[in-house]
């Protein structure tokens, strides 16, 4: 068993050095059963996820302030109705989380942001709608009204919780 673990760890180290893979966990063996794989090899974060910008403390607070996605974009992509809904939601909430299926946007949340912003502008929103943050792992984009990023960086947003 020790030899098997050493071989698995050696292969994992070799993969991580040559191909940028990360080995998570190792193969475990129960004495009475066959080998039960509990590990998986996944590409390193640089090749698995697009370059998601690191969140500042203020951006993280804003992300948590928006409790859930208020708008969802499915596999059929975005329509004018989605743009109008985003405009109305931003008027009411300042920041809006949008859950996106990235497939219709060439797999990119950045492309999804651009298309949704353009649709919202067509329906009467300001052309300066801000991208606060996106998270590939959650498939979510956080939109903000113009000036929201400045308010986040100055500490004025999100507002403090009620007493």
């Amino acid at each position: 068993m020790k030899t098997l673990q050493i071989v698995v760890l050696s292969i994992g180290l070799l993969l991580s050095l040559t191909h940028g893979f990360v080995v998570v966990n190792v193969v475990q063996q129960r004495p009475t059963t066959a080998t039960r794989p509990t590990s998986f090899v996944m590409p390193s974060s640089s090749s698995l996820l697009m370059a998601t910008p690191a969140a500042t403390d203020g951006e993280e607070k804003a992300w948590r302030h928006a409790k859930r996605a208020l708008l969802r974009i499915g596999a059929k992509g975005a329509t004018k109705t989605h743009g109008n809904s985003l405009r109305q939601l931003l008027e009411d909430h300042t920041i809006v989380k949008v859950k996106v299926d990235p497939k219709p946007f060439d797999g990119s949340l950045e492309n999804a942001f651009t298309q949704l912003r353009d649709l919202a502008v067509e329906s009467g929103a300001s052309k300066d709608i801000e991208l606060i943050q996106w998270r590939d792992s959650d498939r979510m984009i956080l939109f903000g009204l113009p000036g929201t990023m400045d308010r986040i960086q100055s500490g004025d947003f999100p507002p403090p919780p009620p007493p």
Side-chain angles (χ1 to χ4, degrees):
M1 170 135 160
K2 295 285 183 194
T3 310
L4 178 62
Q5 287 179 337
I6 291 170
V7 169
V8 169
L9 291 175
S10 299
I11 291 171
L13 180 60
L14 180 64
L15 284 172
S16 69
L17 293 175
T18 58
H19 299 296
F21 283 84
V22 178
V23 175
V24 181
N25 210 341
V26 295
V27 175
Q28 296 177 348
Q29 185 173 5
R30 292 183 185 167
T32 58
T33 61
T35 302
R36 178 177 60 98
T38 60
S39 66
F40 60 96
V41 178
M42 59 186 244
S44 63
S45 61
S46 61
S47 61
L48 180 65
L49 301 175
M50 297 181 335
T52 303
T56 64
D57 188 45
E59 289 171 0
E60 186 62 31
K61 287 179 182 175
W63 184 270
R64 281 190 246 119
H65 179 72
K67 302 288 186 223
R68 59 188 173 94
L70 297 178
L71 184 62
R72 289 169 180 75
I73 311 298
K76 293 183 181 179
T79 63
K80 287 183 178 184
T81 307
H82 290 110
N84 188 46
S85 295
L86 178 60
R87 177 188 58 81
Q88 290 174 341
L89 287 167
L90 282 169
E91 288 173 0
D92 294 340
H93 298 282
T94 308
I95 60 171
V96 175
K97 271 186 192 174
V98 179
K99 181 131 179 137
V100 177
D101 181 349
K103 290 176 191 168
F105 306 101
D106 298 324
S108 167
L109 291 180
E110 193 170 8
N111 292 345
F113 166 77
T114 303
Q115 187 174 346
L116 285 166
R117 181 196 58 210
D118 293 345
L119 288 168
V121 168
E122 283 179 24
S123 70
S126 168
K127 65 180 179 1
D128 297 324
I129 292 175
E130 296 179 337
L131 169 63
I132 307 300
Q133 189 181 11
W134 78 78
R135 292 192 180 174
D136 289 317
S137 59
D138 295 334
R139 300 182 317 162
M140 291 221 207
I141 304 170
L142 186 62
F143 287 83
L145 285 175
T148 304
M149 244 350 239
D150 292 335
R151 291 179 57 204
I152 289 171
Q153 291 170 347
S154 69
D156 295 337
F157 190 87

